[in-house]
Amino acid sequence: MSLVIRNAQRSVPLRRAPLRRAVSALRAALGASRFDVALVCAGDGLMRRLNGAYRQRPEPTDVLSFPAHRLAAGELPRPRCRHEYHLGDVFLGVEYIARHSPGGDLEGALTVTAAHGLCHLLGYQHNTKSEWQQQPISPLCSPPADVPEGGGDPGEAEPAHGHQPPAPDRRPLLRVGPGCCRSCPGRGAVMAVHDPNLLLLLLLGLAVLAHPPPTAAQLPPAALRAGHTITSLPAAAAAPRTRYLLYDVNPPEGFNLRRDVYIRIASLLKTLLKSENWVLVLPPWGRLYHWQSPDILQVRIPWSEFFDIPSLNRNIPVIEYEQFLAESGGPFIEQIYVLQSYAEGWKEGTWEEKIDERPCIDQLMYSKDKYEYYRGWFWGYEETRGLSVSCLSVQGSASIVAPILLKNTSAQSVMLDRAENLLHDHYGGKDYWNTRRSMVFAKHLRVVGDEFRNKYLQSTDKADRTHYNEDWTQMKVKTGTALGGPYLGVHLRRKDFIWGHREDVPSLQGAVKKIRSLLEAHKLEKVFIATDAVEEEIELLKKLLPEMVRFEPSWKELELYKDGGLAVIDQWICAHARYFIGTSVSTFSFRIHEEREILGFDPKTTYNRFCGEKEKNCEQPTHWKIVY
């Protein structure tokens, strides 16, 4: 059954994954795996309020247990329906435990305290060592060394061990009566919350039981005793653990180069999957240099906003970052490798692929906080922390990193920063194209593009012979079969791009001249233009080229689709044109080339670019033929 762990405090950095593994093993050892448990990691404030409400001691404490059943020591409940499978709630005073953990071993202290709280859910009660020793106690439920020898009275809420005496009349937050649910024949639901003012506090401990934890191995009860940590447990005979691969790139890099880096990392993941169970965590989108629409929050954007996740999963296993947080139990990345070039550079001669752990050349974009955790950008997730950061000098293709990840680190989550330093394993081969074909645009964006084509460009898949299969693995189109809509598709790159490409980028007048010649040559009357030109240039284009059509979103559409979604819509429309011409060495144009190759267009209508007025040798783009 489910184990829910809710972190209701932020003062102490907490790794939920080790705690989840420990408590799962504890439940198994106590024979209680089939029962639900809610574990709340609370701060001093919440523990003070609970302790005051149920023990009349408004002070922080280490653990408060609230059983859902009245049991004799060591007895398991006998459920009659689903609701009675809830064993109870355990509140851990994380701040209190952190202050009193021996040697600063917070994980070990949390494990021991959680074990003690679980024992109380199973009916074990004590206020003195002698009381505890008189019970038929499990070896797992040994009393802490600091339980006082003196008196007190038993109750459901466990006192802080050491210096807070118990108080009378302690009651659980939630008590299930003799009946359990309406679905049980002949019984009515009986549930009593003793203090209505504390119902909100109760909700902190009861999360939706939606994600059952990994199956824990059935350990013998003697394997776990008070004072043991999860690292001291015997190895579990459970399914192989999942390791998580994360990555990021240099912040100035744009949307379309990042898509190319994804293809390189996907190749690395395929290599890793030959040896271990890995999954790729998709880096959230945000804060891209070219996304400059004002007054729109564009951070922490999931991939599903732009791409079809099931399609990606038909190629490699991927999950969104939010899902990684849920599965791993907390916002921690265990190992971060910052990829860099070799300080000595590449020496002329035979190309050599190599990778070494080296001192960092540039200043790290990570800083340590007071808890010795690394803080950084992390896609806008400020709560994310890194546990270890080091630099790797790399020269070679993506899979050269695989031995490092398989042999040099046992970290469950590994992030490769500056992943653009890796090269493709096999550029243009079958593996490359499989990954590229799996990068299907999100359907809602494709629908917007299709409706625009139909309304403004008289373009439909049937008329254009661009039939599309939602399952990319079943889509194999013969080159030259697609006709395209009755319009010219243009990508005209401007802004900062022209500063570094003065020779091979035309002026607006030169671009308009080329567009008019193409319209005449292909007997077309409309031209769709995707461009990042500034407003003044747009107005000039409208005067020089009245036939121009653009996707100009309303404010509502811009807020909904964001700059990344608009780029996808522009590319989708350009990809369906009768003829396409793009900008020299622009990754935006490259992605359109690939999309048209997938749709089955004649290469002569696809691999074309504008030439600069002063350019002497206007070499056209290379045709990268699709491989199935």
Side-chain angles (χ1 to χ4, degrees), residues 316-608:
I316 58 170
V318 302
I319 58 173
E320 299 276 21
Y321 187 71
E322 294 276 359
Q323 186 177 343
F324 163 72
L325 293 179
E327 289 187 10
S328 63
F332 289 89
I333 300 173
E334 295 181 23
Q335 176 65 58
I336 299 172
Y337 286 121
V338 180
L339 305 184
Q340 60 186 13
S341 301
Y342 280 84
E344 62 271 24
W346 176 55
K347 300 177 181 178
E348 293 186 7
T350 305
W351 172 260
E352 177 188 7
E353 293 208 341
K354 55 184 179 178
I355 184 169
D356 297 287
E357 187 164 343
R358 292 280 189 90
C360 299
I361 299 173
D362 299 321
Q363 182 177 354
L364 285 175
M365 301 299 290
Y366 302 93
S367 59
K368 277 189 176 182
D369 62 18
K370 62 181 180 180
Y371 297 105
E372 297 296 306
Y373 292 114
Y374 288 93
R375 307 183 70 169
W377 158 238
F378 294 122
W379 315 284
Y381 285 81
E382 296 179 357
E383 66 274 22
T384 296
R385 301 288 188 273
L387 303 189
S388 177
V389 177
S390 56
C391 291
L392 294 176
S393 288
V394 60
Q395 178 178 289
S397 55
S399 289
I400 196 174
V401 185
I404 298 289
L405 304 185
L406 294 172
K407 299 177 182 179
N408 289 28
T409 178
S410 59
Q412 187 171 14
S413 53
V414 183
M415 174 180 168
L416 302 178
D417 199 357
R418 300 299 299 270
E420 75 278 1
N421 283 293
L422 297 173
L423 304 177
H424 286 281
D425 280 345
H426 306 288
Y427 187 82
K430 181 179 179 181
D431 181 68
Y432 174 94
W433 276 106
N434 280 346
T435 300
R436 177 60 184 85
R437 291 164 63 210
S438 73
M439 300 180 75
V440 175
F441 291 141
K443 189 168 184 177
H444 69 279
L445 298 177
R446 288 185 280 125
V447 168
V448 172
D450 290 341
E451 291 176 349
F452 184 90
R453 288 166 48 212
N454 185 26
K455 184 176 182 179
Y456 297 102
L457 298 168
Q458 291 73 54
S459 168
T460 65
D461 283 341
K462 184 177 181 180
D464 303 347
R465 301 206 296 265
T466 52
H467 299 291
Y468 198 76
N469 194 321
E470 292 295 330
D471 183 354
W472 64 268
T473 64
Q474 303 301 314
M475 185 174 173
K476 298 181 180 180
V477 183
K478 185 178 179 181
T479 300
T481 58
L483 174 64
Y487 62 95
L488 176 68
V490 170
H491 172 231
L492 188 58
R493 188 76 163 81
R494 307 300 292 169
K495 284 189 177 178
D496 60 300
F497 190 83
I498 60 177
W499 303 338
H501 301 267
R502 296 183 184 277
E503 295 296 323
D504 53 0
V505 175
S507 64
L508 287 184
Q509 291 79 2
V512 169
K513 182 179 179 181
K514 179 64 176 179
I515 289 170
R516 288 208 171 278
S517 68
L518 290 173
L519 288 172
E520 182 179 351
H522 296 277
K523 297 180 174 56
L524 300 172
E525 297 181 355
K526 291 185 177 181
V527 53
F528 176 83
I529 296 183
T531 181
D532 62 341
V534 296
E535 192 61 35
E536 293 80 2
E537 291 179 318
I538 294 293
E539 293 303 316
L540 179 58
L541 279 173
K542 288 179 179 179
K543 292 180 181 178
L544 297 175
L545 201 63
E547 304 93 330
M548 179 180 72
V549 177
R550 296 179 63 243
F551 182 79
E552 298 179 294
S554 64
W555 170 255
K556 184 177 180 180
E557 288 173 325
L558 178 59
E559 195 173 28
L560 179 62
Y561 306 137
K562 301 180 175 54
D563 286 326
L566 299 186
V568 168
I569 294 169
D570 275 347
Q571 289 186 2
W572 187 247
I573 297 172
C574 282
H576 286 76
R578 187 73 49 88
Y579 187 98
F580 172 73
I581 183 169
T583 300
S584 174
V585 300
S586 165
T587 54
F588 192 103
S589 291
F590 289 164
R591 300 289 87 84
I592 296 173
H593 294 163
E594 293 168 341
E595 210 66 48
R596 291 175 63 86
E597 185 75 10
I598 292 169
L599 289 169
F601 278 92
D602 187 330
K604 294 179 181 179
T605 68
T606 295
Y607 295 89
N608 308 288

Side-chain angles (χ1 to χ4, degrees), residues 16 21 65 75 83 115 137 174 176 230 240 246 281 318 394 414 439 488-489 597 606 615 624:
R16 282 183 288 179
R21 291 194 294 267
S65 295
E75 182 184 27
H83 285 184
I137 194 164
L174 180 67
V176 180
I230 189 62
L246 304 93
V281 181
V318 302
V394 60
V414 183
M439 300 180 75
L488 176 68
E597 185 75 10
T606 295
E615 191 174 5
W624 290 97

